[in-house]
Structure formats: C-alpha cells, structure tokens
Amino acid sequence: MAQIDILSLTKDELSASVAEMGEKSFRAKQIYDWLHVKKITDFSQMSNISAQFRDEISRKFCLKSLKIKKRLVSHIDNTVKYLYELPDGQAIESVLMEYKHGNSLCISSQVGCKMGCRFCASTIAGWVRNLEPSEMLLQIYETERDSGRHVDSIVMMGIGEPLDNFDNTVKFLEILNSGGEGMSLRHLSLSTCGVVDKIYRLAELKLGVTLSISLHAATDAKRSAIMPINDRFGLEPLMKACDDYFRITGRRISFEYSLIEGVNDTDDSADELIKLLRGKKCHINLIPINEIKERDFKKSRFVERFQNRLANAGLNATVRRTLGADINAACGQLRRENLSADD
Ligand code: SAH
C-alpha cells in the first residue's frame, strides 16, 4: 500500500488517521507539533512517541523532503534563490527576500504552468504537475533551516498558478494557519492571473489571504494579447470578482502591473488603468518587467512617467524594488536554465 504523505494532512485528517491506528487524540496533536512546529526531518526525532508507535507511523506514512539543487545568494541585497529538487526529481524555485519589515519567501505552487502568459519564463515548457501541500510547506521549512532566517511573510508568486491547484493550495493554507509558523494568513499574498471562479471559492473560505491580481493591462484587447486567461475570464468579470472579494473578506486587493515597452507603458495605457481602478480600495504595484531571453519583451523606460500619471489622477502606485538582480531571481528563470542544461 502506498504510504501517506504525512505533511500534506490537515490537523483533522491527521487526527482521523491516528484514531484509525487506535491511538488517543493527544497523540495526533503531538505528531502535528513535531511536523509543523519543530519541523522534524525524520520520524526518529519524535522523542515523546514510543519506539513501537514510531515504527507503525513510519510504515503508514512518509515524510517528504526537498533537496537543495542550487543556492544563489545576491551580493547586492542578500536575496537567496533556491532551486529545490522534489522527491520525483522535478525542480521548483523559492526566493527569500529581505525587507525592512522582515523576511519574505516567494514560493512555487506547480511544476511549470498552463496559463501561458507571454512574458513569463515559468510557462514556456508548459505544465508538468501540481505541487502537494507538503511540497509548498517544505519550501518554507527547508529555507528556514538552510538560511537560519525566520520567514515572516509568504508570497505565492513563484512558478505556477496557485488557483489552478486550488485544493492543494487551500490545504497548504489551512496547515500553515494551524501549524507552528504563527503566521496569520494576512501575511500571505496569493497571486493569480485571474481565475475568476476560484477567486469566489477562495473568498467564501474567508481565510484572510491577501489577493494579488496580475493585471498587466487595462483593456481586454491589450490583456488578451499577453495573457490567454483573459479570453476565459475578461476584465469585467475579473473586476467584479475583485470587488466581491473585498466585500466578502474586507481585504484590499493588490494589482500587479509589469511594464513592458510599447505594450502597456504608454500614456494611453496609464489612462486606461486609471479608468479601471479609480475609486477602488486597492494597492497598485508597478514592476519593471524582467527580460527573459526566450521572448523579446523589453523593460519599459517610462516607469516613473507612468507612476506620475497615475499619481496625478489620485492613484498611488509603488514601484517594486528589483531584488536579486545579480542572480536571475525572476519567476521560472532558474528552473528554465536547469531544464536547458539537462537537455
Ligand atoms: N500565476 C500567478 C503567480 C505566479 S507569477 C500569477 O500570474 O499571478 C508571479 C508574478 O510575476 C505575476 O504577477 C506575473 O505576471 C509576474 N511575472 C511573470 N513573469 C514576469 C517577468 N518576466 N517580469 C515581470 N513580472 C513577471
């Protein structure tokens, strides 16, 4: 019988499994603590569990781990980029960034991506598989172990579309919420290209997650040209879902807008964005696009001009600081290089 991936079980699921083994419920709590507070890497470390029960546990469950395949440290700002190898040999990326308010970790949610955004390196070789909840958690646990730094906030902005791996993402959030990170999900941002039906499902769960929308263009024509998801869910239903998310959860939405020369960085594009977002309670993050060698999109030269035009219309936007510029820290680039190296 296949072993159960113990780190992917929610507290309730673990309790049910432990009860099936004929053990009292406090045992489940002890084990959950070892897994998610003390973050053990081997069942033998569970010193308050009898050797006999530990044996039973290691027959029924497996404890997954990630291997560090590559670690790149930025000499500019201490950003650390990890290429992690999963148990089946696939690779994903996580990026640890230092901010004034603490350490933030950007994690992946899938191996590859189906969404096909034209400017994104993660999508070029397509989608391989979803990550298990354990594989999302382990990116945090391994990074903390390796770096000796505590992760204070998480952004789901690495490889993959978290809402295209909805059930595993929600389980990951539930475990994080009831585990040892002591992290309110307010300190977690989930970034989506705009999978509208799943935005509603997430809102209804009221997990308190901050939602980031990868907008990148403010008309359907311009957005569809760079983001295929826009043909499935256009701007009208997307903006309605954002309003509803805010109404249901009370959490402000963040809009990401990566500026690409000649594509979405003109004064007209700024005015379209103003029209779309004026009066909304939201944050706007402008990002100078990271150029990837497989595509010829160029970084905009008009970031400041774009920002000023928004400001003059009363819309405050921040320009995201580029971190890890010397280590290729943009989405999917490291895995992509690794794939080509293996070819
Ligand atoms: N699938 C999710 C999360 C992963 S991408 C999403 O679409 O939001 C994380 C963010 O990086 C998104 O805003 C995405 O549009 C952006 N991004 C991807 N490639 C980029 C690049 N080359 N330069 C700048 N931003 C990029």
Side-chain angles (χ1 to χ4, degrees):
M1 205 177 73
Q3 288 180 307
I4 301 167
D5 168 12
I6 197 165
L7 281 175
S8 286
L9 299 182
T10 61
K11 217 171 203 168
D12 289 346
E13 288 172 337
L14 184 69
S15 295
S17 270
V18 166
E20 256 175 43
M21 295 166 88
E23 286 285 336
K24 300 235 161 56
S25 65
F26 77 93
R27 285 279 173 229
K29 191 181 171 318
Q30 284 177 325
I31 297 169
Y32 199 82
D33 237 47
W34 282 112
L35 298 173
H36 300 291
V37 181
K38 301 187 187 87
K39 300 169 188 160
I40 53 164
T41 51
D42 194 293
F43 289 130
S44 65
Q45 293 166 294
M46 303 193 293
S47 54
N48 60 357
I49 310 278
S50 74
Q52 192 197 340
F53 187 40
R54 277 200 318 250
D55 254 15
E56 272 180 60
I57 291 171
S58 51
R59 275 195 300 275
K60 183 166 172 141
F61 301 101
C62 62
L63 186 54
K64 286 193 178 178
S65 61
L66 302 182
K67 268 211 297 255
I68 298 174
K69 212 167 165 166
K70 229 179 235 173
R71 178 201 298 103
L72 300 178
V73 182
S74 164
H75 300 300
I76 305 174
D77 51 38
N78 244 350
T79 297
V80 189
K81 180 146 190 179
Y82 292 93
L83 184 70
Y84 282 121
E85 185 177 314
L86 301 168
D88 63 354
Q90 292 291 340
I92 48 159
E93 298 171 13
S94 317
V95 185
L96 181 62
M97 295 159 287
E98 236 174 49
Y99 290 99
K100 272 199 248 56
H101 58 262
N103 295 311
S104 176
L105 184 69
C106 174
I107 64 165
S108 298
S109 57
Q110 296 179 313
V111 181
C113 185
K114 290 178 206 160
M115 298 297 126
C117 300
R118 305 270 184 257
F119 44 81
C120 180
S122 301
T123 205
I124 293 169
W127 173 88
V128 179
R129 71 170 175 87
N130 285 332
L131 291 191
E132 298 296 328
S134 59
E135 293 167 329
M136 297 188 229
L137 286 164
L138 280 167
Q139 294 174 63
I140 307 167
Y141 298 177
E142 291 291 349
T143 300
E144 288 189 331
R145 245 193 301 276
D146 180 72
S147 67
R149 282 145 70 175
H150 182 260
V151 170
D152 304 295
S153 61
I154 294 169
V155 287
M156 301 191 78
M157 283 194 187
I159 299 170
E161 167 51 53
L163 296 186
D164 186 46
N165 182 13
F166 188 80
D167 293 346
N168 288 348
T169 294
V170 166
K171 259 193 182 186
F172 158 72
L173 297 173
E174 282 174 354
I175 298 171
L176 200 61
N177 212 9
S178 60
E181 287 297 312
M183 184 184 293
S184 145
L185 292 182
R186 284 177 182 268
H187 298 294
L188 183 140
S189 289
L190 186 151
S191 182
T192 177
C193 61
V195 189
V196 166
D197 53 336
K198 300 298 187 327
I199 292 176
Y200 281 100
R201 282 184 59 194
L202 187 69
E204 277 147 22
L205 292 171
K206 294 205 177 81
L207 292 168
V209 170
T210 303
L211 193 64
S212 278
I213 302 289
S214 299
L215 192 61
H216 306 322
T219 64
D220 280 317
K222 285 185 184 167
R223 196 164 188 266
S224 286
I226 50 173
M227 300 179 72
I229 185 78
N230 199 70
D231 294 333
R232 210 165 115 209
F233 300 107
L235 278 170
E236 202 184 311
L238 176 60
M239 296 317 290
K240 180 168 186 316
C242 290
D243 290 344
D244 289 340
Y245 189 88
F246 176 62
R247 188 178 43 75
I248 295 167
T249 66
R251 307 286 298 144
R252 279 180 193 218
I253 307 278
S254 273
F255 290 98
E256 312 287 317
Y257 195 103
S258 297
L259 286 151
I260 313 172
E261 184 164 287
V263 173
N264 62 2
D265 68 337
T266 57
D267 287 349
D268 282 351
S269 289
D271 293 343
E272 288 154 8
L273 187 61
I274 292 164
K275 194 165 158 227
L276 190 72
L277 296 185
R278 186 175 257 155
K280 291 199 190 303
K281 289 204 167 22
C282 63
H283 299 285
I284 307 167
N285 250 318
L286 300 176
I287 311 158
I289 194 121
N290 273 301
E291 293 172 10
I292 56 172
K293 63 173 184 295
E294 291 85 351
R295 300 279 186 267
D296 56 5
F297 289 126
K298 291 268 167 295
K299 211 171 246 180
S300 167
R301 289 171 290 139
F302 304 117
V303 175
E304 213 181 297
R305 181 186 170 115
F306 196 94
Q307 182 185 26
N308 287 338
R309 201 165 174 95
L310 298 187
N312 288 339
L315 284 186
N316 275 324
T318 47
V319 176
R320 179 158 326 139
R321 208 154 50 93
T322 305
L323 289 173
D326 51 337
I327 57 166
N328 225 357
C331 227
Q333 289 187 76
L334 196 59
R335 170 170 178 267
R336 181 93 198 113
E337 279 171 11
N338 184 63
L339 277 180
S340 343
D342 289 349
D343 281 346

